[in-house]
Amino acid sequence: MASRDQVKASHILIKHQGSRRKASWKDPEGKVIMTVTREAAVEQLKSIREDIVSGKANFEEVATRVSDCSSAKRGGDLGPFGRGQMQKPFEEATYALKVGDISDIVDTDSGVHIIKRTA
């Protein structure tokens, strides 16, 4: 469990042409990722977020199918982390959320994310 100075979060990551590492567990050679624009990744994630917030989709199920992060195997669960352990925009967005909230689009060197704070 997260200590007082830590948060716990899950996320859905969509990588794109501008991502620092253009490979993922779903696309080991990055062939698909290299064709995805940042704008297309953002639009996909906005649609996913709308479906989750409206109750049409479950965050963890979508993360398992869609996320380019290896945390997809755990429904997007990153476990507990403290300040300085994640890229700054990701960290700031997570700490700003209340438990149970889902972020807007968060842009990092890894790609675009939506984050659900879980603790």
Side-chain angles (χ1 to χ4, degrees):
M1 196 62 207
S3 70
R4 286 181 61 136
D5 57 340
Q6 290 186 321
V7 293
K8 188 175 177 197
S10 297
H11 76 136
I12 298 170
L13 166 66
I14 306 293
K15 291 188 174 197
H16 54 78
Q17 296 166 340
S19 296
R20 68 173 175 203
R21 186 173 167 270
K22 293 167 188 65
S24 77
W25 68 274
K26 310 186 321 183
D27 186 14
E29 295 177 20
K31 290 180 181 178
V32 174
I33 292 166
M34 286 187 269
T35 68
V36 177
T37 64
R38 181 193 172 281
E39 293 75 22
V42 167
E43 288 307 311
Q44 181 183 3
L45 212 46
K46 281 182 180 176
S47 177
I48 289 168
R49 186 183 187 284
E50 285 176 24
D51 286 349
I52 292 167
V53 171
S54 71
K56 289 182 191 173
N58 173 277
F59 191 100
E60 292 74 16
E61 288 174 10
V62 174
T64 300
R65 287 185 288 107
V66 175
S67 184
D68 282 312
C69 181
S70 61
S71 68
K73 297 174 190 122
R74 299 179 302 280
D77 185 6
L78 293 169
F81 60 90
R83 293 201 181 272
Q85 291 185 273
M86 299 290 180
Q87 293 177 51
K88 196 70 171 165
F90 191 97
E91 172 189 305
E92 289 174 355
T94 305
Y95 274 86
L97 293 170
K98 293 182 177 123
V99 174
D101 284 354
I102 297 173
S103 72
D104 287 325
I105 306 299
V106 177
D107 216 333
T108 71
D109 291 344
S110 299
V112 291
H113 315 249
I114 55 173
I115 305 163
K116 178 179 179 182
R117 183 162 172 184
T118 55

